[in-house]
């Protein structure tokens, strides 16, 4: 296929994904009654207003509280678009206002509203909140793919052919040799090699960062050195969490950073770097605020006129509205000046991939765009910053979790394959794999390094032999084969769980805590992650841990979640429940072995795994893993405990 045909295929797959996403939303929200939506966790109802106030960037914010006693999982989280509604008039479709969630804690939620004012009907009561479908992201990706397909005789067309074309560009076309090249004293040799490749790259470069190899540190140094040459760069990542981490790291280097995006989607640490917060700190902000207040006052005066009034009143209202219009135009012009002043002076403009389509960046061009966590980034989203850039640096690891895709058909037909993965296969010479590993004990690193990273990872001396206690084994695999601990399926969520295996894993975690001593565990602040690929198993593990007299007092140090939620994190101890145990030897989505790579490589000093070798052994990866564990002395049968 030509590059344009490939993009057309990707566009078609994106439509499948949008349909699957929308259908999931319809099934959960639009097709359900209010009581069903509440039960599903996609609606909070009834709620009551705790307060409203003006937050960051002069935006209206509300804090609400759920008043029913139901305590069940829900779909509300920071950054999600929501709709506030009232049932008071019996016509909820006419009474709703949208906003974005800042944070959710227990039964309270803080929301940044989209409008300038709260609607009048908010006083009527019978309030609730629905999760909304994120149409905007799909609209931006659709628009971008069309622009890239249409591109002719420009830089976008060249980048399209470099990354997706079958000929016309060799690796040599994309490299320049330079006598002057950067060396960073905070980087090791393989990290500095990556820096050199980025320095010499004319078009694309790739930082391949396996777990614990300092990908973020390398990327920050690459951005710092690039800014010295180019004055300003665009920095993107697929998620808000990933871009906020980079904002924090770049700010610590003393760089002038602006975080583009809705303040509700930004972590508290990064709030001061948002455009809204920096506008509020600008020398001309007071002037802008006075203009807006004056405009609002005049608009209110114009609104005081009733319908039954004469010519003089009508004329007075017209004049007031004209004056408000003029003041608004002046305020908009001043805000435009402030925004451009801030953007022109900043060194790193940071946003999510979709966020790079923000109106304030319209018409702006960059020499270099950096894309972090590119192994998790949908291809259509990656093209959004590429439309604005002369060259691109990707950083990520395609051996860890791929993008989250709701349509199985779209994923299997190629949407799960990222530009990072495509590019690194096409231009291996432009990719630098980081090799120095600063997280794991050597034994924990050994198998992932051998299987996923050509046996090239080298454990740094600071972590190489680090154990929880001398003579403590770094890895334990407990085989449940033949124990009767079989998996079951949750009839509502269709997720899998294995109660016997959950009990065994929690028991092993308790034994480990007891062997070290709870007081020592607290004193040394030893962290533990209890992980399962299946959300239904996570629920059971959480319930067991909460009722454990040994683990519950350590709850601040023990995290329990899915593998996907742990990507990018690390703990002193990781305990994994594989769940699958059935007569057909079906491993389900454990067959995506990148998920297991992520789970294993979160551990620093101790890795505990519990699984059924008879079921797992149906997959060649797990055959190799169990073979490694047996020959290394890390294997135990459940019967030997």
């Amino acid at each position: 296929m030509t590059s344009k045909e490939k993009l057309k295929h990707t566009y078609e797959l994106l439509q499948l994904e949008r349909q699957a996403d929308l259908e999931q939303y319809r099934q959960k929200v639009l097709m359900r009654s209010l009581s069903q939506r509440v039960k599903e966790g996609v609606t909070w109802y009834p709620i009551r207003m705790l307060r409203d106030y003006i937050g960051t960037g002069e935006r209206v914010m509300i804090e609400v509280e759920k008043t029913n006693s139901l305590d069940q999982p829900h779909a509300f989280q920071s950054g999600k678009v929501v709709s506030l509604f009232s049932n008071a008039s019996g016509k909820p479709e006419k009474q709703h206002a949208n906003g974005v969630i800042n944070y959710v804690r227990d039964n309270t939620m803080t929301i940044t509203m989209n409008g300038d004012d709260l609607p009048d009907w908010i006083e009527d009561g019978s309030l609730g909140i629905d999760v909304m479908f994120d149409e905007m992201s799909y609209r931006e990706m659709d628009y971008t793919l069309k622009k890239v397909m249409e591109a002719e005789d420009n830089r976008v067309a060249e980048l399209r052919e470099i990354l997706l074309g079958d000929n016309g560009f060799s690796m040599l076309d994309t490299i320049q040799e330079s006598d002057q090249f950067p060396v960073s004293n905070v980087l090791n040799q393989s990290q500095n090699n990556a820096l050199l490749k980025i320095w010499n790259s004319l078009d694309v470069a790739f930082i391949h960062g396996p777990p614990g190899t300092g990908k973020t540190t390398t990327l920050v140094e690459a951005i710092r050195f690039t800014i010295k040459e180019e004055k300003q760069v665009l920095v993107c990542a697929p998620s808000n969490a990933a871009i906020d981490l980079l904002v924090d790291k770049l700010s610590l280097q003393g760089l002038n950073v602006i975080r583009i995006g809705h303040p509700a989607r930004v972590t508290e640490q990064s709030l001061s770097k948002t455009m809204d917060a920096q506008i509020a700190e600008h020398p001309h902000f007071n002037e802008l605020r006075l203009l807006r207040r004056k405009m609002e006052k005049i608009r209110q005066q114009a609104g005081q006129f009733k319908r039954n009034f004469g010519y003089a009143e009508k004329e007075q209202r017209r004049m007031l509205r004209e004056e408000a219009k003029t003041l608004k135009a002046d305020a908009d012009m001043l805000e435009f000046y402030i925004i451009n002043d801030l953007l022109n002076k900043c060194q790193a403009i940071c946003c999510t991939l979709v966020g790079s389509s923000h109106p304030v960046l319209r018409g702006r061009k960059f020499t270099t765009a950096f894309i972090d966590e590119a192994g998790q980034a949908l291809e259509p989203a990656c093209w959004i910053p590429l439309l604005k850039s002369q060259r691109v640096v990707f950083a990520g690891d395609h051996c860890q979790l791929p993008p989250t895709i709701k349509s199985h058909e779209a994923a299997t037909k190629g949407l799960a394959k990222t530009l990072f993965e495509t590019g690194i296969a096409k231009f291996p010479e432009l990719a630098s794999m980081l090799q120095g590993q600063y997280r794991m004990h050597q034994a924990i690193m050994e198998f992932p390094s051998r299987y996923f990273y050509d046996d090239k990872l080298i454990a740094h001396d600071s972590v190489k032999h680090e154990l929880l206690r001398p003579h403590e084994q770094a890895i334990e695999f407990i085989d449940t084969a033949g124990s009767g601990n079989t998996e079951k399926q949750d009839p509502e969520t269709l997720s899998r769980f294995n109660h016997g295996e959950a009990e065994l894993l929690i028991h092993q975690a308790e034994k480990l805590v007891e062997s070290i001593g709870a007081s020592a565990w607290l004193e040394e602040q030893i962290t533990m992650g209890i992980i399962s690929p299946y959300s239904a198993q996570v629920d059971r593990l959480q319930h067991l841990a909460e009722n454990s007299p040994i683990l519950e007092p350590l709850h601040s140090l023990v995290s329990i979640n899915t593998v996907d939620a742990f990507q990018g994190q690390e703990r002193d101890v990781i305990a994994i429940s594989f769940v699958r145990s059935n007569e057909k030897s079906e491993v389900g989505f454990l067959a995506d072995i990148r998920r297991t790579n992520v789970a294993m490589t979160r551990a620093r000093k101790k890795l505990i795994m519990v699984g059924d070798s008879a079921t797992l052994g149906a997959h060649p990866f797990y055959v190799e893993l169990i073979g490694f564990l047996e020959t290394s002395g890390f294997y135990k049968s459940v019967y030997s405990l």
Side-chain angles (χ1 to χ4, degrees):
M1 285 196 286
T2 66
S3 63
K4 289 186 180 182
E5 286 168 342
K6 287 175 186 173
L7 284 163
K8 188 171 184 293
H9 178 63
T10 301
Y11 181 86
E12 287 162 0
L13 296 181
L14 187 64
Q15 305 320 306
L16 286 178
E17 172 64 5
R18 184 188 172 281
Q19 286 162 19
D21 199 358
L22 182 57
E23 185 53 35
Q24 219 174 78
Y25 173 73
R26 280 168 53 81
Q27 294 294 334
K28 281 189 171 179
V29 181
L30 301 182
M31 309 291 284
R32 303 287 173 97
S33 68
L34 183 57
S35 59
Q36 285 176 317
R37 298 201 313 265
V38 170
K39 193 179 173 189
E40 282 278 336
V42 294
T43 296
W44 274 16
Y45 183 87
I47 59 166
R48 68 185 179 95
M49 287 275 292
L50 294 178
R51 63 184 180 126
D52 62 272
Y53 57 100
I54 301 297
T56 310
E58 302 283 292
R59 292 176 188 248
V60 177
M61 300 184 72
I62 61 168
E63 189 175 351
V64 300
E65 181 181 48
K66 183 169 63 168
T67 55
N68 67 30
S69 56
L70 287 174
D71 184 24
Q72 83 261 24
H74 57 75
F76 295 95
Q77 61 189 54
S78 299
K80 287 232 175 182
V81 180
V82 291
S83 177
L84 175 73
F85 66 85
S86 170
N87 254 352
S89 69
K91 295 180 180 177
E93 72 278 0
K94 289 187 178 177
Q95 297 190 330
H96 63 86
N98 293 351
V100 177
I101 299 174
N102 281 59
Y103 64 81
V104 184
R105 285 181 197 150
D106 302 323
N107 285 331
T108 62
M109 190 188 303
T110 302
I111 301 164
T112 303
M113 301 305 291
N114 288 348
D116 293 334
D117 295 302
L118 288 176
D120 297 337
W121 50 257
I122 215 159
E123 304 294 334
D124 299 342
S126 300
L127 298 175
I129 293 170
D130 282 328
V131 168
M132 295 291 285
F133 178 67
D134 184 14
E135 178 64 47
M136 192 274 284
S137 296
Y138 287 104
R139 207 166 46 236
E140 291 298 344
M141 288 190 281
D142 283 0
Y143 170 80
T144 298
L145 285 176
K146 286 174 184 170
K147 291 290 283 184
V148 179
M149 281 188 269
E150 291 164 4
E152 294 291 343
D153 302 323
N154 60 15
R155 186 57 178 157
V156 175
E158 286 176 359
L159 286 172
R160 179 189 69 214
E161 294 310 313
I162 290 166
L163 286 163
L164 299 179
D166 289 331
N167 49 37
F169 284 92
S170 73
M171 181 271 291
L172 294 173
D173 293 326
T174 70
I175 287 180
Q176 62 179 358
E177 289 297 334
S178 171
D179 296 333
Q180 292 183 320
F181 53 85
V183 176
S184 168
N185 56 12
V186 303
L187 300 182
N188 63 32
Q189 190 177 331
S190 70
Q191 291 169 332
N192 267 311
N193 288 343
L195 198 61
L196 178 60
K197 283 202 175 173
I198 292 165
W199 187 260
N200 288 332
S201 157
L202 295 170
D203 305 297
V204 289
F206 304 89
I207 302 173
H208 181 195
T213 54
K215 170 180 67 69
T216 304
T217 304
T218 308
L219 187 62
V220 166
E221 282 295 279
I223 291 168
R224 199 168 65 81
F225 276 96
T226 306
I227 286 169
K228 284 181 182 176
E229 288 292 305
E230 299 172 11
K231 309 304 179 205
Q232 188 178 78
V233 296
L234 180 62
V235 182
C236 297
S239 70
N240 287 293
I243 201 64
D244 283 339
L245 175 66
L246 276 173
V247 167
D248 294 344
K249 300 279 186 189
L250 292 168
S251 299
L252 286 172
Q253 293 292 323
L255 295 172
N256 183 348
V257 179
I258 283 188
R259 167 73 158 97
I260 304 291
H262 199 296
R265 294 190 170 99
V266 178
T267 60
E268 221 163 293
Q269 300 94 298
S270 302
L271 259 182
S272 64
K273 304 298 174 189
T274 60
M275 176 66 79
D276 284 22
Q278 293 199 37
I279 287 172
E281 294 294 314
H282 195 274
H284 289 291
F285 177 68
N286 280 340
E287 193 182 333
L288 176 64
R289 189 163 55 180
L290 287 170
L291 274 172
R292 281 192 178 143
R293 282 182 179 169
K294 193 174 175 185
M295 174 194 77
E296 202 51 51
K297 194 175 177 184
I298 289 167
R299 267 172 56 182
Q300 284 171 359
Q301 284 173 359
Q304 283 169 2
F305 290 100
K306 305 298 177 195
R307 287 183 182 176
N308 301 319
F309 53 81
Y311 175 79
E313 288 87 355
K314 194 173 180 181
E315 190 62 18
Q316 178 73 357
R317 184 177 71 170
R318 187 190 65 75
M319 287 171 67
L320 285 168
R321 281 184 170 169
E322 282 296 319
E323 191 179 348
K325 212 173 180 181
T326 305
L327 285 167
K328 185 181 184 304
D330 290 346
D332 288 347
M333 185 65 76
L334 182 55
E335 185 176 47
F336 180 77
Y337 163 76
I338 292 171
I339 286 169
N340 280 285
D341 188 45
L342 289 167
L343 288 173
N344 291 337
K345 288 175 181 171
C346 91
Q347 296 168 296
I349 295 176
C350 301
C351 51
T352 61
L353 295 166
V354 173
S356 64
S357 65
H358 197 285
V360 298
L361 297 182
R362 202 162 285 150
R364 279 193 176 261
K365 295 289 180 187
F366 302 88
T367 304
T368 305
F370 289 87
I371 299 178
D372 194 15
E373 299 297 352
Q376 281 194 291
L378 280 177
E379 181 186 328
C382 283
W383 285 109
I384 301 174
L386 281 174
L387 281 179
K388 303 173 183 297
S389 312
Q390 293 294 304
R391 69 172 191 145
V392 60
V393 177
F394 295 96
D397 181 11
H398 52 299
C399 301
Q400 293 187 62
L401 287 172
T404 302
I405 296 174
K406 293 183 171 73
S407 165
H408 179 69
E409 185 185 353
T412 51
K413 286 185 175 177
L415 193 61
K417 192 165 188 183
T418 61
L419 266 184
F420 179 78
E421 198 175 344
T422 301
I424 220 167
K426 187 176 182 183
F427 295 116
E429 302 89 345
L430 299 178
S432 296
M433 191 178 88
L434 309 180
Q435 294 173 5
Q437 185 276 117
Y438 297 86
R439 177 184 295 163
M440 293 163 268
H441 186 280
Q442 184 160 328
I444 298 170
M445 177 198 78
E446 192 176 341
F447 182 77
S449 175
R450 186 192 303 173
Y451 197 94
F452 293 101
Y453 305 110
D454 298 326
D455 218 2
K456 287 181 179 173
L457 299 189
I458 302 157
H460 190 261
D461 289 344
S462 61
V463 298
K464 194 173 186 176
H465 304 297
E466 276 290 298
L467 293 164
L468 283 176
R469 290 290 182 271
H471 313 301
E472 173 82 46
Q473 271 199 319
I475 306 176
E476 287 176 42
F477 177 83
I478 298 158
D479 187 359
T480 64
S483 66
N485 290 332
T486 54
E487 68 185 69
K488 291 185 172 61
Q489 191 169 32
D490 187 302
E492 281 194 23
T493 64
L494 303 181
S495 182
R496 310 269 170 173
F497 65 92
N498 186 325
H499 194 72
E501 189 174 292
E503 286 183 328
L504 177 59
L505 189 71
I506 292 296
H507 180 59
Q508 291 304 116
E510 289 172 333
K511 270 173 64 178
L512 181 64
V513 171
E514 285 183 313
S515 71
I516 287 170
S519 57
W521 197 282
L522 280 165
E523 192 179 319
E524 295 172 37
Q525 292 287 289
I526 299 168
T527 56
M528 182 191 293
I530 299 176
I531 301 182
S532 176
Y534 294 92
S535 56
Q537 185 76 338
V538 168
D539 292 343
R540 276 146 188 84
L541 290 164
Q542 283 174 333
H543 177 74
L544 290 166
E546 283 165 9
N547 289 287
S548 163
I550 297 162
L551 296 182
E552 204 287 324
L554 307 174
H555 66 87
S556 62
L557 298 168
V558 179
S559 316
I560 305 173
N561 219 322
T562 59
V563 180
D564 299 46
F566 266 95
Q567 175 138 337
Q569 299 184 43
E570 56 187 61
R571 298 290 187 274
D572 295 317
V573 181
I574 288 290
I576 306 168
S577 167
F578 285 112
V579 177
R580 300 310 295 252
S581 178
N582 55 73
E583 289 179 2
K584 294 180 181 176
S585 296
E586 291 175 344
V587 296
F589 82 159
L590 289 184
D592 189 344
I593 56 176
R594 291 174 292 186
R595 189 166 268 105
T596 304
N597 181 33
V598 170
M600 293 169 65
T601 54
R602 303 306 96 199
R604 293 190 196 112
K605 301 174 183 179
K606 176 83 174 178
L607 175 62
I608 302 168
M609 296 179 280
V610 178
D612 176 358
S613 65
T615 299
L616 296 174
H619 191 285
F621 168 80
Y622 295 100
V623 171
E624 233 178 287
L625 172 60
I626 292 164
F628 162 78
L629 295 164
E630 284 179 324
T631 55
S632 305
F634 300 138
Y635 173 94
K636 289 178 186 173
S637 167
V638 69
Y639 297 107
S640 65
L641 295 178

